[in-house]
Amino acid sequence: MARGVKKEITYTGKALKIHEEILSLEAKLKALKEELKVAHKEEIKRLKEEEKKAKKAADIAAKKELDRKRNDLFLALKASGKSIDDVIDMLNNTED
């Protein structure tokens, strides 16, 4: 909370140069803070896109693996020469 009116100080000579440098550094700091905000938002966006791509790739890989297992099971059933009903009965009998 402010305690009254802030006094305006007029700098001269060496103090003026230092004050001008401080003002320029404050302006530069403000600009860099804005750049940081933008860069951070871009980084978060990039990370989310990478997560989406990785999840999509994992889903595709899982689907391919399931399709491969189904195909292997089908080929094994076909090679066994037994009907699907025989295989189901055999599986049900081994569980008891």
Side-chain angles (χ1 to χ4, degrees), residues 4 13-14 22 25 29 33-34 36 39 43 46 51 54 58-59 62-63 68-69 73 82 87 91 94:
K14 189 174 180 181
I22 289 172
L25 289 173
L29 177 63
K33 282 184 178 181
E34 288 300 317
L36 177 63
E43 183 70 16
R46 184 186 63 78
E51 275 183 22
D59 290 344
K63 187 176 185 297
R68 186 191 61 79
K69 286 182 179 180
L73 179 61
K82 296 185 178 186
V87 173
L91 290 173
T94 58

Side-chain angles (χ1 to χ4, degrees), residues 83-96:
S83 71
I84 294 175
D85 294 331
D86 292 340
V87 173
I88 292 172
D89 288 338
M90 183 175 59
L91 290 173
N92 287 334
N93 289 337
T94 58
E95 290 178 3
D96 291 338

Side-chain angles (χ1 to χ4, degrees), residues 15-25:
L16 178 63
K17 289 181 182 178
I18 294 171
H19 179 68
E20 288 173 349
E21 186 176 346
I22 289 172
L23 292 177
S24 70
L25 289 173

Side-chain angles (χ1 to χ4, degrees), residues 4-59:
V5 178
K6 188 172 182 179
K7 213 184 233 187
E8 181 89 21
I9 300 175
T10 305
Y11 297 103
T12 58
K14 189 174 180 181
L16 178 63
K17 289 181 182 178
I18 294 171
H19 179 68
E20 288 173 349
E21 186 176 346
I22 289 172
L23 292 177
S24 70
L25 289 173
E26 286 174 344
K28 186 176 180 180
L29 177 63
K30 187 176 181 180
L32 286 173
K33 282 184 178 181
E34 288 300 317
E35 283 183 43
L36 177 63
K37 285 180 185 178
V38 170
H40 183 65
K41 285 181 183 179
E42 289 175 357
E43 183 70 16
I44 289 173
K45 187 177 179 180
R46 184 186 63 78
L47 290 173
K48 285 183 180 180
E49 287 175 4
E50 284 180 4
E51 275 183 22
K52 282 182 183 178
K53 287 179 183 179
K55 186 176 186 276
K56 188 175 181 180
D59 290 344

